[in-house]
Amino acid sequence: MVRRISLGMKIGSGFGLVILISIIVGAVAVANMKRGSGSSTILSKEYVPEVSIANLMERNTFFTLLAMRDYEYTDDEKHLEEAIKSIEIVKQQLETAAQHGASSPRLAQLKTGAEKAEQSLLEYEKLVGEMARLTKEVEQERKLAENAGTQYMAVGYAFLGSQKEAMLGEIMAGIEGDQLEKRLNRISLVTEIIDLGNRLIAGSWMAQYQRDPKLLVATVAQMDTATQKMDELKKICDFEGDLKRIEDCQAAARAYKSAGLKLSEKWTAREEVVKQQVALADGLAAQAKDIAGMGMSDMTQGANQAASTLSRASMVVSVGLGAGLLFSIVVALGIGRGITKPVHAVVFMLQDIAQGEGDLTKRLAIQSKDEVGDLARWFNTFIEKLQTILSNIREHTGSLSAAAGELSATSTQMAASAEEMNTQSRTVASAGEELSVNINTMAAASEEMSSSAGTVAASVEEMSSSISEVAKNCEKESRIAHQANEQAGRTRQI
């Protein structure tokens, strides 16, 4: 079947197959490249924004936690404002993350994580508000306690000063005995009351420094001892002004104790909120970290998928090009061999014939019905006709050689006869000329013989013309014989 296809069809089919393979390889490569492009598009429009949103959310979440930690330790409103601003930013980013997660099924985890983180953030925001409220109340109670403590110490120092001044007056007045001893007892009790106040204030500050509400409660409880001391002081005081100062100091002590206890209560409540806030902050930070890690994981997966797709496309292109090149080489060699082998056979036979030793009985094998088969078939026809012609020439070479020999002998004889006739003609011509001279001489001698001499002269001229014509015919026959001799010689050579 293949041998019946024309050469042009074979070449066209070969190139068509090469083109088809190239198209298939190109189509597969384009398909893989489109898949790679799709992966890159997913990577750029889904995973990269996911990572960006998650990273920003994680960073602002940590900013929020850091600002709240600073507010917790410093009670500075500036840190609270920073935390509130960061919370609003995180809210917006969580909303953006949820919207972005809803835009693609591949980002469902991002949407779920953002929604959970948003719920945690709302709870954290409530705790931040509660902490801010408790912090303000703690600050109010602290100020009340400080004012009460200041009042307590002021009254105590004023009472101590008045007692010292009175004792100095009594000493100057020379008063001795029980009255002076009673004054010394008053001074001693006031001093103890003042020392208790100093210890209470120092303990309160130490409790706040150590962030220990229990220590503050224990410290404030010592105010009862100061109250007892003031009750004892009342018993030994009879001056109305001193009793008023003692009452004022007791009122300041009660206010300090009340403020201290409320401070401890508010402080304990705030510390409980702080604990809840820290636990929720840890969970929120973990959620933010998980969302960021999820984004990085998705982006890494998308990048790996895109790289794998591109690598597969590159491998397909390389293998396809290699297979196409190999197939092209096989097709080229097959078509070239199918063309050159019969042509080489024809060239070899022509070369054999041209060198004079060709075997005209050989024929080319016709293996196809294409142009190469036509070439072999018509070459065989040509050789067959050439063989027939040469056979006919060989058969007629003997008779032609004999005829040429006879023709050569005849030509030689005719040439000898022509030479003899030429010699005789020259002799006749000489005799005619001599006769003409004699006739002319005789014409001068005899007028009667003039007409006869004219007749004789005309005859001689006619004879001379005939002889000249005979000589020309002999020369022409000699040339014809010479040409025939040469033709016969060439015929013998063939």
Side-chain angles (χ1 to χ4, degrees), residues 404-420 474 477-482 484-485:
E406 292 178 359
L407 182 59
S408 178
T410 303
S411 298
T412 302
Q413 185 178 0
M414 289 177 67
S417 299
E419 184 67 26
E420 184 178 357
C474 288
E477 290 178 358
S478 178
R479 285 195 300 272
I480 291 172
H482 183 66
N485 191 18

Side-chain angles (χ1 to χ4, degrees), residues 3 36 67 91 104 106 126 148 158 194 200 292 302 331-332 348 356 370 374 387 452:
R3 294 178 180 179
K91 277 184 179 180
S104 173
R106 288 178 290 272
K126 291 179 181 179
I194 292 173
L200 286 172
V331 170
F348 177 76
D370 54 8
D374 293 341
Q387 183 182 9
S452 299

Side-chain angles (χ1 to χ4, degrees), residues 361-429:
T361 61
K362 293 181 178 180
R363 297 292 183 270
L364 294 176
I366 301 174
Q367 298 179 351
S368 62
K369 292 185 179 182
D370 54 8
E371 289 82 352
V372 176
D374 293 341
L375 174 64
R377 184 170 58 254
W378 288 111
F379 181 78
N380 291 338
T381 302
F382 168 72
I383 294 299
E384 185 177 354
K385 289 185 176 181
L386 182 61
Q387 183 182 9
T388 302
I389 292 172
L390 291 180
S391 297
N392 293 333
I393 291 175
R394 191 179 298 111
E395 291 175 359
H396 294 87
T397 298
S399 58
L400 183 60
S401 178
E406 292 178 359
L407 182 59
S408 178
T410 303
S411 298
T412 302
Q413 185 178 0
M414 289 177 67
S417 299
E419 184 67 26
E420 184 178 357
M421 289 178 69
N422 190 21
T423 302
Q424 290 177 1
S425 297
R426 284 196 297 272
T427 304
V428 172

Side-chain angles (χ1 to χ4, degrees), residues 35-86:
R35 283 198 293 270
S37 176
S39 300
S40 300
T41 301
I42 293 172
L43 186 65
S44 64
K45 292 186 177 181
E46 294 183 8
Y47 295 149
V48 171
E50 177 189 10
V51 171
S52 177
I53 294 170
N55 286 337
L56 288 174
M57 186 192 66
E58 182 184 19
R59 184 176 65 179
N60 285 290
T61 300
F62 284 122
F63 284 164
T64 302
L65 302 182
L66 181 61
M68 285 305 300
R69 181 61 58 87
D70 293 339
Y71 177 65
E72 176 188 349
Y73 284 107
T74 63
D75 296 336
D76 191 346
E77 293 289 334
K78 179 181 69 174
H79 298 304
L80 178 62
E81 292 175 358
E82 292 177 354
I84 293 173
K85 288 180 180 179
S86 297

Side-chain angles (χ1 to χ4, degrees), residues 13 19 34 48 53 80 97 133 205 327 351 363 377 404 414 439 450-451 478:
S13 300
I19 294 172
K34 284 186 177 180
V48 171
I53 294 170
L80 178 62
R133 182 184 65 79
W205 283 110
F327 181 77
Q351 184 179 4
R363 297 292 183 270
R377 184 170 58 254
M414 289 177 67
I439 291 172
S450 176
S451 56
S478 178

Side-chain angles (χ1 to χ4, degrees), residues 461-479:
E461 288 181 1
E462 184 177 358
M463 183 180 295
S464 178
S465 299
S466 298
I467 292 171
S468 297
E469 185 175 357
V470 170
K472 290 180 180 179
N473 291 329
C474 288
E475 290 179 359
K476 184 175 181 180
E477 290 178 358
S478 178
R479 285 195 300 272

